[in-house]
Amino acid sequence: MFTVSPSNHFHLQQHFESSGRLFFSISGAGSKFRVRKARVSRCGSLVGGNGSSRRVISSQKKTVETAASPSEKRGGNESRISSYSSSSSGGIDVRATIKIRKKMKEKLTEKIEDQWEYFVNGIGQGISICLISEEIDPETNSGKRIESCVRGWLPKPHNGVHAMEYAANFTVPRDFGSPGAVLITNLHGKEFYLLEVIIHGFDDGPIFFPANTWIHSRKDNPDSRIIFKNHAYLPSQTPAGLVDLRSKDLSSIRGNGKGERKPYDRIYDYDVYNDLGNPDKSKDLARPVMGVEDRPYPRRCRTGRPPTVSDPLTESRIEKPHPVYVPRDETFEEIKQNTFSAGRLKALVHNLVPSIAATLSKSDIPFKCFSDIDKLYIDGVVLNDENHQEYSQNFFLGNIMKQVVNAGQTLLKYEIPAVIKSDRFSWLRDHEFARQTLAGVNPVNIECLKEFPIRSKLDPNVYGSPESAITKEVIEKELYNGMSVEQAIEENRLFILDYHDIILPFIKKINALPGRKVYASRTVFLHSQTGTLTPIAIELSLPPTPSSKTNKHVYTHGHDATTYWIWKLAKAHVCSVDAGIHQLVNHWLRTHASMEPYIIATHRQLSSMHPIYKLLHPHMRYTLEINALARQNLINGGGIIEASFLGGKYSMELSSAAYKNLWQFDMEALPADLIRRGMAVEDPSMPSGVRLVIEDYPYAADGLLIWSAIKEWVESYVEHFYSEPNSITGDAELQAWWSEIKNKGHPEKRNEPWWPNLNNKEDLSGVLTTMIWVASGQHAAINFGQYPFGSYVPNRPTLMRKLIPREGDRDYENFIANPQITFLSSLPTKLQATKVMAVQDTLSTHSPDEEYLGQVNQLHRHWIDDRRVLELFNKFSSKLEEIEEIIKCRNKDNRLKNRSGAGVPPYELLLPTSGPGVTGRGIPNSISI
């Protein structure tokens, strides 16, 4: 039963007219009508005789019949064979089941629109479907094809999933062959999300066409969408009937590189990072382009927006809440969107409170005592009535505040971070400071010290003496049993966290910014015989001045109060540099930004039926969307990163310098990175091919388990598809893919000698393992610990606002009188800290629809029809389950001091699975947050 209101009557009639064909109109406001089936075919659609379609619609006592001729073209109710014919009596009855995803939460207007769509689909006027055979039609020299329309009537949800099913009937000639693709044409006025198409009736059982894609409206793009079945074909193995479609589909994805992209587009192309600044808004928001010879950078996805008025080289910005273009299928699904939106709202509320406090005080307020920090987790922040009244005059702020205040007046309250949850004072200890270099959120920069004296590679004419001020005497005072520096190096006892060369060129510019003070730091650690790591010397450097060719200061932990506090300040400065490098280099550059060209090239050069596309597809989910949001809100001029991390407006320039001087693809492989840093040595007897120098190195020990499992899975997968000699060099799509990654994705580095070749199975397996590791294990290890480790400001300040006071300085006496105030006033302000905490909370959150390594989403269960591949994947999944148990056992091993002990949080960042929320564990398939 369907009730039509007066407004609905007008809407229905107008929709039919706009479709170009007026079938009927319904008169009588509020009249009720019922659809009766003339005859039901065995697949459930409504058909008349000889392929015509007939509907009987009764409205009270009136009956209206509509018929559609099978000779009508696309958009009609036909079941026809294009360029290929056979008598229906000699054909095969085939049914196509089409599954369309619906929204979980709908507004009333959307529900009404859905009812209309069901109706249009039901009468065969909403979706056209064409089967394409793998066999050639000799008359057209392309795949045989047969077309029909989707039919059905108000279908029921499928198995409780938010999806609707429709059917289309075909009578297929017996010599049609096996269908290898379907063409979907959306005749509606808006897009819909196609989950999959299943073809029933052929001898070899149901044939699956996994889609998981948005189907654009024909009014936006007249081309039909091509969906291939779930069989993987190398280019040379493509069935003859699909060759032209394979080429056409890739061509449509690449676009022509011109024009501004529309929201419904599914086009992947490259561009430089020229959308971070906003010079039209303010000169202070102008930012240089990243992706030029002197500021190289990996490429991002092109949007084609016009340039700004102020600068023709800068792309105009789209500010929140308006979305930045990404290819349509890259956008967040509904569950993810709701989770991220909630996080954004939470961040807004969290930022609002300190903003109001800062406005009322006319300054940005520092923490005055440690209890101020504790209150963020214990009491929250309450806005008093006076403040509420003042800011309620602003409509936008007032609405938000009213909602929150009415909910209990607590505007801000954070969970206690894991790093202090069991031991509030752990952050004060040297052991914890050192432990986090191996088991914290940034465990990828510590190196084994191999040469002494420590020397810089920077130009001495610009940056002064290259030799470190950390001398043998300084180190040997901290060694035991009369050990020499040479002996300690020989026995792999000395380690270093060296940020000198990457930071020093930026110090003058950064320190000229208000509220920013940074040093180029070096920290030397001793690995004791008990297996623990201890910092023994910190060097903090500033650029040379005309009066002093060296401006380096060395600090060691002492036993008097003054030295103790200065040592604590020195460690805080090291942590702030470490936090900046972590966010801008290791997190953003080495995972988010470096993955984007791989994803773009995969879509542009590898057909969706290519086995390597199918392998990589789960590891590309959501990455372009989260990167676009980062360019809009996080790494943009004036964004969160600039406001709250050490680099300020020079943050992305610093990231570009790291890309130029440090990034190379072959070193992104975990074993290669560990060997380069001296944290491991080659050992063919080990499963991963390397042996750790420090056994109790949780990130590396657990990471190598994950790396080895990925490597085994990838190697077996590649072996399965590339068993023939020269099959890799002869794969045109694969070679074009690798060439494009180098030449278009990383053009400033395209001629570097370290790019791997792509000549054999070993080359390909190595490249793919690295990509999958970066997208999964590497990102998980350095992302999901951000809130657990970084949200307690003294443990990991993201910037420092003061240099360390020295004797003779104006602030030195104040420091002696009250060192705690000096320490706290050097940390980020309340506003900066709460911004960072809000962002870290959001970035550390798993969405309820997260897809974890070794798992397949239920909606993607038909991703491939190859039984051997599914067996290999199940083996990979089982291996990850074993690894999870191994890691849990390691966390209970009291010999491993970096992951167990009194108050020590277990190392769980590389546990493969997790529930939703901020859990500090779990490895998603892709960079999805």
Side-chain angles (χ1 to χ4, degrees):
M1 188 75 68
F2 192 99
T3 302
V4 184
S5 68
S7 59
N8 283 344
H9 158 241
F10 176 77
H11 174 71
L12 295 181
Q13 186 176 29
Q14 288 299 106
H15 190 99
F16 278 130
E17 290 171 347
S18 66
S19 71
R21 194 176 291 124
L22 180 62
F23 293 95
F24 57 84
S25 63
I26 303 173
S27 61
S31 63
K32 298 181 180 179
F33 63 88
R34 179 180 291 109
V35 177
R36 296 205 308 264
K37 289 174 272 192
R39 181 173 66 83
V40 182
S41 72
R42 72 180 187 83
C43 66
S45 67
L46 316 179
V47 296
N50 299 321
S52 67
S53 177
R54 185 169 298 275
R55 298 287 180 275
V56 181
I57 302 178
S58 67
S59 177
Q60 296 178 359
K61 295 183 178 180
K62 294 184 178 181
T63 300
V64 180
E65 293 190 4
T66 65
S69 167
S71 64
E72 290 180 279
K73 300 300 181 183
R74 179 179 299 175
N77 297 332
E78 81 286 357
S79 174
R80 70 183 179 88
I81 301 173
S82 299
S83 303
Y84 193 83
S85 61
S86 175
S87 64
S88 59
S89 60
I92 305 169
D93 288 336
V94 173
R95 181 186 67 198
T97 302
I98 293 87
K99 296 182 181 179
I100 296 175
R101 189 181 69 197
K102 308 307 297 181
K103 289 186 68 174
M104 293 178 290
K105 297 179 180 179
E106 291 185 312
K107 300 176 182 177
L108 178 60
T109 54
E110 291 173 327
K111 290 181 179 180
I112 294 173
E113 288 176 354
D114 276 353
Q115 295 299 313
W116 171 247
E117 288 180 17
Y118 302 157
F119 177 79
V120 173
N121 287 339
I123 63 172
Q125 295 298 316
I127 304 170
S128 171
I129 179 170
C130 181
L131 302 188
I132 308 295
S133 173
E134 293 183 340
E135 296 185 5
I136 285 284
D137 179 348
E139 293 184 12
T140 64
N141 204 32
S142 60
K144 301 172 185 177
R145 57 181 60 198
I146 184 169
E147 190 168 357
S148 184
C149 273
V150 169
R151 307 181 191 283
W153 193 260
L154 299 180
K156 302 296 181 183
H158 173 70
N159 296 336
V161 178
H162 293 277
M164 307 305 288
E165 288 189 355
Y166 299 94
N169 284 343
F170 303 83
T171 300
V172 179
R174 294 190 179 278
D175 59 350
F176 181 77
S178 179
V182 295
L183 304 184
I184 304 291
T185 305
N186 176 9
L187 307 176
H188 292 286
K190 66 176 186 178
E191 65 185 0
F192 63 82
Y193 193 88
L194 179 65
L195 290 168
E196 67 178 347
V197 177
I198 307 174
I199 307 297
H200 305 269
F202 287 92
D203 291 340
D204 48 357
I207 303 173
F208 295 94
F209 296 77
N212 297 298
T213 184
W214 289 96
I215 305 297
H216 60 261
S217 168
R218 185 173 60 173
K219 73 180 181 61
D220 291 327
N221 182 347
D223 293 337
S224 301
R225 277 296 307 279
I226 304 167
I227 309 296
F228 295 106
K229 76 175 184 180
N230 63 340
H231 191 83
Y233 291 107
L234 294 175
S236 61
Q237 299 167 345
T238 308
L242 305 181
V243 171
D244 56 342
L245 286 183
R246 184 168 185 150
S247 175
K248 181 179 180 181
D249 190 45
L250 282 174
S251 179
S252 70
I253 289 171
R254 293 172 191 150
N256 59 11
K258 299 178 181 179
E260 183 174 356
R261 299 275 63 88
K262 305 301 181 186
Y264 54 80
D265 281 339
R266 194 175 61 103
I267 296 175
Y268 297 76
D269 203 356
Y270 302 93
D271 208 344
V272 295
Y273 278 71
N274 63 348
D275 62 339
L276 302 180
N278 194 351
D280 286 352
K281 185 176 182 180
S282 168
K283 290 183 179 180
D284 291 337
L285 292 178
R287 295 293 180 269
V289 175
M290 302 295 156
V292 293
E293 206 61 40
D294 58 336
R295 287 184 299 273
Y297 219 63
R299 293 304 188 256
R300 65 168 175 95
C301 189
R302 179 182 177 276
T303 66
R305 294 195 303 270
T308 59
V309 175
S310 307
D311 181 4
L313 298 179
T314 298
E315 184 175 274
S316 57
R317 284 185 56 77
I318 298 291
E319 300 293 353
K320 58 184 179 181
H322 303 292
V324 176
Y325 168 80
V326 293
R328 186 64 182 97
D329 290 339
E330 303 297 330
T331 55
F332 290 163
E333 295 176 21
E334 189 177 1
I335 295 177
K336 177 71 171 182
Q337 184 63 57
N338 291 341
T339 301
F340 193 76
S341 295
R344 289 176 65 186
L345 177 60
K346 186 175 180 182
L348 174 64
V349 175
H350 288 183
N351 293 342
L352 178 63
V353 177
S355 297
I356 294 173
T359 302
L360 289 175
S361 66
K362 308 303 181 187
S363 64
D364 200 355
I365 306 170
F367 294 106
K368 294 181 179 179
C369 58
F370 285 98
S371 61
D372 281 352
I373 303 172
D374 295 340
K375 285 179 181 178
L376 296 174
Y377 316 108
I378 299 170
D379 299 328
V381 177
V382 178
L383 198 66
N384 61 42
D385 293 338
E386 179 183 350
N387 293 347
H388 181 207
Q389 183 178 1
E390 177 178 347
Y391 280 87
S392 64
Q393 295 174 5
N394 180 306
F395 178 77
F396 174 66
L397 298 183
N399 280 345
I400 294 176
M401 290 169 57
K402 182 177 180 180
Q403 294 173 21
V404 179
V405 171
N406 288 345
Q409 290 197 339
T410 298
L411 292 179
L412 169 66
K413 189 174 181 181
Y414 288 99
E415 294 292 325
I416 298 175
V419 72
I420 61 164
K421 197 165 189 175
S422 300
D423 185 351
R424 181 181 170 189
F425 302 105
S426 63
W427 67 276
L428 287 168
R429 290 191 286 272
D430 286 352
H431 172 262
E432 179 61 19
F433 172 80
R435 188 190 74 84
Q436 289 183 30
T437 66
L438 299 171
V441 71
N442 189 41
V444 297
N445 283 112
I446 188 168
E447 301 179 39
C448 188
L449 185 60
K450 291 296 185 182
E451 295 180 355
F452 202 87
I454 303 164
R455 297 178 65 86
S456 168
K457 296 179 181 178
L458 297 175
D459 184 352
N461 295 320
V462 177
Y463 299 104
S465 172
E467 193 165 307
S468 169
I470 300 176
T471 63
K472 288 181 62 174
E473 291 74 22
V474 168
I475 293 179
E476 287 178 350
K477 284 181 183 178
E478 305 296 331
L479 300 181
Y480 45 82
N481 299 330
M483 181 181 290
S484 66
V485 168
E486 290 78 11
Q487 184 181 355
I489 290 175
E490 178 68 24
E491 295 180 9
N492 294 324
R493 293 290 178 189
L494 294 178
F495 296 83
I496 187 170
L497 201 59
D498 192 346
Y499 297 129
H500 180 276
D501 286 9
I502 191 173
I503 293 292
L504 194 61
F506 291 90
I507 284 184
K508 283 185 178 180
K509 294 192 290 187
I510 293 174
N511 285 354
L513 298 173
R516 292 285 201 288
K517 294 301 177 208
V518 61
Y519 295 99
S521 69
R522 290 188 178 109
T523 309
V524 176
F525 301 85
L526 173 66
H527 189 233
S528 69
Q529 291 176 318
T530 61
T532 58
L533 206 61
T534 304
I536 58 176
I538 293 174
E539 178 190 66
L540 300 179
S541 301
L542 296 171
T545 63
S547 60
S548 174
K549 292 186 177 180
T550 180
N551 203 354
K552 305 172 182 177
H553 306 287
V554 176
Y555 303 92
T556 58
H557 50 84
H559 302 286
D560 63 276
T562 302
T563 307
Y564 170 81
W565 274 104
I566 289 178
W567 176 247
K568 192 185 325 186
L569 281 167
K571 290 195 296 181
H573 272 281
V574 172
C575 286
S576 74
V577 175
D578 188 74
I581 297 301
H582 162 261
Q583 199 65 261
L584 294 166
V585 179
N586 299 327
H587 181 210
W588 170 255
L589 168 65
R590 292 180 61 190
T591 63
H592 284 261
S594 67
M595 276 300 298
E596 190 147 348
Y598 312 155
I599 294 169
I600 297 171
T602 300
H603 284 283
R604 284 170 55 86
Q605 297 298 340
L606 298 182
S607 166
S608 60
M609 67 171 73
H610 197 291
I612 302 306
Y613 177 95
K614 290 185 177 294
L615 175 69
L616 290 177
H617 186 260
H619 307 289
M620 304 187 292
R621 183 177 185 240
Y622 291 158
T623 303
L624 296 192
E625 172 82 339
I626 199 67
N627 285 4
L629 289 167
R631 297 199 311 274
Q632 188 178 42
N633 301 319
L634 294 180
I635 64 171
N636 59 300
I640 298 294
I641 299 300
E642 288 193 359
S644 305
F645 284 78
L646 85 164
K649 65 187 292 185
Y650 306 105
S651 293
M652 286 301 290
E653 291 184 57
L654 192 156
S655 186
S656 172
Y659 175 70
K660 180 179 182 179
N661 299 317
L662 302 176
W663 187 89
Q664 57 183 74
F665 180 87
D666 60 329
M667 290 295 108
E668 296 305 293
L670 177 60
D673 174 61
L674 293 171
I675 291 171
R676 178 185 62 82
R677 292 190 282 122
M679 300 302 293
V681 294
E682 293 188 33
D683 187 344
S685 67
M686 302 295 289
S688 59
V690 299
R691 176 173 49 83
L692 294 177
V693 170
I694 297 178
E695 180 184 357
D696 187 12
Y697 184 2
Y699 157 76
D702 295 357
L704 287 172
L705 293 177
I706 301 297
W707 168 273
S708 298
I710 295 172
K711 182 172 181 284
E712 182 181 348
W713 153 238
V714 170
E715 286 178 342
S716 60
Y717 187 95
V718 169
E719 173 66 33
H720 177 68
F721 285 102
Y722 291 95
S723 57
E724 298 298 322
N726 303 319
S727 54
I728 289 177
T729 55
D731 186 334
E733 287 184 7
L734 189 69
Q735 294 299 325
W737 168 77
W738 187 233
S739 174
E740 187 164 291
I741 285 173
K742 294 181 290 185
N743 294 301
K744 291 189 175 182
H746 298 269
E748 292 86 31
K749 287 181 172 281
R750 62 186 178 276
N751 296 321
E752 295 287 354
W754 39 254
W755 285 105
N757 295 316
L758 203 60
N759 296 329
N760 52 48
K761 289 179 287 189
E762 291 74 21
D763 295 339
L764 178 57
S765 296
V767 165
L768 296 172
T769 301
T770 298
M771 290 180 179
I772 293 173
W773 160 253
V774 168
S776 57
Q778 179 71 357
H779 179 259
I782 60 179
N783 180 73
F784 293 104
Q786 289 191 79
Y787 188 85
F789 285 98
S791 58
Y792 186 66
V793 182
N795 180 66
R796 194 169 177 78
T798 55
L799 60 83
M800 296 293 282
R801 301 192 304 128
K802 295 181 179 179
L803 296 175
I804 297 177
R806 299 181 61 80
E807 286 190 66
D809 291 348
R810 183 175 56 183
D811 294 336
Y812 189 75
E813 291 304 319
N814 293 333
F815 163 67
I816 294 296
N818 197 332
Q820 177 175 292
I821 289 295
T822 298
F823 181 83
L824 289 171
S825 63
S826 298
L827 299 179
T829 64
K830 288 183 179 180
L831 172 58
Q832 291 166 332
T834 51
K835 278 185 177 181
V836 170
M837 291 165 71
V839 170
Q840 289 176 333
D841 179 67
T842 300
L843 297 183
S844 302
T845 299
H846 290 293
S847 173
D849 72 335
E850 197 75 89
E851 296 178 4
Y852 295 97
L853 193 64
Q855 297 180 358
V856 175
N857 187 299
Q858 179 70 8
L859 297 177
H860 300 164
R861 64 190 183 278
H862 298 134
W863 68 284
I864 197 167
D865 65 351
D866 192 311
R867 181 174 297 178
R868 176 57 179 160
V869 168
L870 295 176
E871 290 173 354
L872 294 171
F873 183 80
N874 289 336
K875 181 180 178 182
F876 174 53
S877 299
S878 298
K879 184 68 173 179
L880 291 171
E881 292 175 3
E882 294 174 11
I883 289 172
E884 186 148 333
E885 295 306 313
I886 292 171
I887 293 174
K888 288 178 180 178
C889 289
R890 287 176 174 177
N891 286 333
K892 296 177 182 178
D893 189 340
N894 57 20
R895 296 171 301 172
L896 302 177
K897 307 299 183 184
N898 290 321
R899 61 198 310 158
S900 65
V904 176
Y907 188 77
E908 298 181 329
L909 289 171
L910 287 168
L911 281 173
T913 61
S914 174
V918 180
T919 64
R921 59 174 290 176
I923 305 176
N925 273 320
S926 61
I927 300 170
S928 57
I929 189 64

